[in-house]
Amino acid sequence: MVTILVATTSDPASINPANALLAMPGWVPAPSLSQQGIKSFSNQNVRLLHHDKSIVEEDDLDRRWEEATGEAVDEVIFFSKHTAVSNRPALTVHPIGIPHLREGDVPPQGGRPGWAAPPDPRMGPWLRHLKKLAQSHNLVPEFEITLEGTHHGPITAKPTMFLEIGSTDEYWKRQDAAQVMALLVWEGLGLGGDDAIGNWGRDNDKKKVLLGIGGGHYAPRHMDIVLKEGVWVGHLLSGYCIPMEDPSQSKVNGNTDGIGGTWKQSIKVAFEATKSAFPGGEVLAHLDHKSLKGWQKNAITAYLGELNIKIGKPNDFI
């Protein structure tokens, strides 16, 4: 089983961490996708791919690698830039997917409507390790260390996460931020000889997994829990990812049939993708109650019951 890392030369926040990683020992060329315009390098059970398109455009790299090499892919990790209206410097980790879009919708940043990749189980442990690395390299408090909600593509089938540097050109080019992201991957995958960080199969003595529902894009109430040691996290559905249309709002009493929007589809897809990424785990929904109106909480709670998904409190995940 191999881990695929993906970077694009068109984005300094993507290629700079990749180049910093390649400067570390053990890498050799592995030209398996060269005919597709993709450079690749190998180090133990890790494969680093370079292409020159937008990071969200190259779909199915996991399948394409398997077909080209015969190697089974375990996970896919992307380096990318992060943009934000605030322009605040940030280092972020997030799962990918657009489970709330309807068939026929045009995805704004890759992916397929109604799809979500399995979330990489390493996200929670790596977020905590990223915070330690950023602190030790004096990037905090200048840089915010944060999760993001599930969004954008490209399409993958294996557990996936994005590692991003934000939020403007000045910070995308910061070599100290690139070095921290490279170290996160180097140490997180155990390339230096120490144990890898966040292996679900080995570290799953606590088998509860957080599925975040509601809240803003940076999932602050979910992140408060994920920053605690031993917590595992799957998909994070921000408010925009659970669109709910209800003309009678306050009149809804546990009946979800009258509420339009793709919120049910989004929750179901995110739950199934999360469950597939954590075999043997119990996925619990964590609701950002303050972000949801009463009728929304009632409807979501009722639908979670239909899917047999339990709602977890903060202490349930620790």
Side-chain angles (χ1 to χ4, degrees):
M1 302 288 277
V2 298
T3 293
I4 298 289
L5 307 173
V6 186
T8 172
T9 59
S10 66
D11 171 9
S14 180
I15 197 62
N16 287 350
N19 286 339
L21 191 61
L22 284 174
M24 298 175 185
W27 294 98
V28 295
S32 301
L33 293 181
S34 57
Q35 291 184 336
Q36 299 180 36
I38 296 174
K39 293 181 180 180
S40 51
F41 305 86
S42 174
N43 192 343
Q44 301 174 54
N45 65 334
V46 180
R47 310 290 178 261
L48 175 55
L49 279 53
H50 283 185
H51 63 73
D52 58 8
K53 297 182 180 179
S54 164
I55 198 69
V56 299
E57 286 184 17
E58 285 281 10
D59 289 331
D60 303 311
L61 284 170
D62 44 1
R63 175 183 57 77
R64 289 156 61 187
W65 184 265
E66 290 182 338
E67 291 175 352
T69 67
E71 294 180 331
V73 174
D74 190 44
E75 62 188 330
V76 189
I77 300 169
F78 293 85
F79 293 116
S80 178
K81 67 183 176 184
H82 172 67
T83 58
V85 174
S86 68
N87 290 334
R88 182 174 179 184
L91 305 178
T92 81
V93 179
H94 74 83
I96 64 171
I98 42 176
H100 61 297
L101 293 189
R102 302 177 191 271
E103 185 176 354
D105 287 347
V106 178
Q109 293 181 294
R112 181 175 61 244
W115 154 89
D120 195 319
R122 298 189 195 276
M123 286 193 304
W126 279 30
L127 176 74
R128 296 187 289 271
H129 194 59
L130 175 59
K131 188 170 185 177
K132 293 174 186 175
L133 287 172
Q135 289 169 335
S136 68
H137 285 75
N138 300 314
L139 292 183
V140 176
E142 181 184 13
F143 282 78
E144 182 179 11
I145 313 303
T146 183
L147 290 169
E148 293 183 74
T150 298
H151 65 303
H152 68 60
I155 296 168
T156 59
K158 299 300 174 75
T160 300
M161 66 174 159
F162 262 61
L163 306 175
E164 300 189 358
I165 300 172
S167 298
T168 64
D169 188 63
E170 174 188 354
Y171 297 105
W172 299 334
K173 294 177 178 177
R174 282 274 292 265
Q175 291 297 334
D176 50 356
Q179 186 67 25
V180 162
M181 283 303 200
L183 277 173
L184 174 65
V185 173
W186 179 262
E187 296 178 4
L189 294 177
L191 288 173
D194 293 330
D195 288 342
I197 298 169
N199 286 342
W200 169 253
R202 191 177 62 215
D203 301 340
N204 62 349
D205 52 319
K206 293 184 182 297
K207 297 188 177 182
K208 303 288 193 295
V209 182
L210 186 150
L211 170 65
I213 299 178
H217 181 68
Y218 297 99
R221 293 188 181 90
H222 307 312
M223 195 174 74
D224 286 345
I225 299 172
V226 178
L227 284 173
K228 298 183 185 300
E229 202 60 40
V231 176
W232 301 93
V233 61
H235 276 292
L236 298 164
L237 301 178
S238 300
Y240 61 80
C241 215
I242 47 169
M244 305 177 77
E245 304 159 4
D246 177 32
S248 58
Q249 296 182 5
S250 61
K251 297 180 181 178
V252 175
N253 293 307
N255 178 10
T256 64
D257 294 336
I259 300 175
T262 56
W263 60 282
K264 285 185 177 181
Q265 166 188 300
S266 189
I267 290 172
K268 185 176 183 182
V269 167
F271 168 71
E272 291 176 348
T274 299
K275 191 168 181 59
S276 74
F278 292 88
E282 182 183 9
V283 180
L284 300 181
H286 180 256
L287 274 56
D288 184 331
H289 291 282
K290 291 187 177 180
S291 72
L292 299 168
K293 297 177 180 178
W295 64 270
Q296 293 175 313
K297 280 190 281 190
N298 290 340
I300 290 171
T301 299
Y303 185 59
L304 291 173
E306 293 175 26
L307 297 178
N308 294 316
I309 303 173
K310 296 179 182 177
I311 297 175
K313 297 179 180 179
N315 288 339
D316 292 332
F317 301 96
I318 300 170

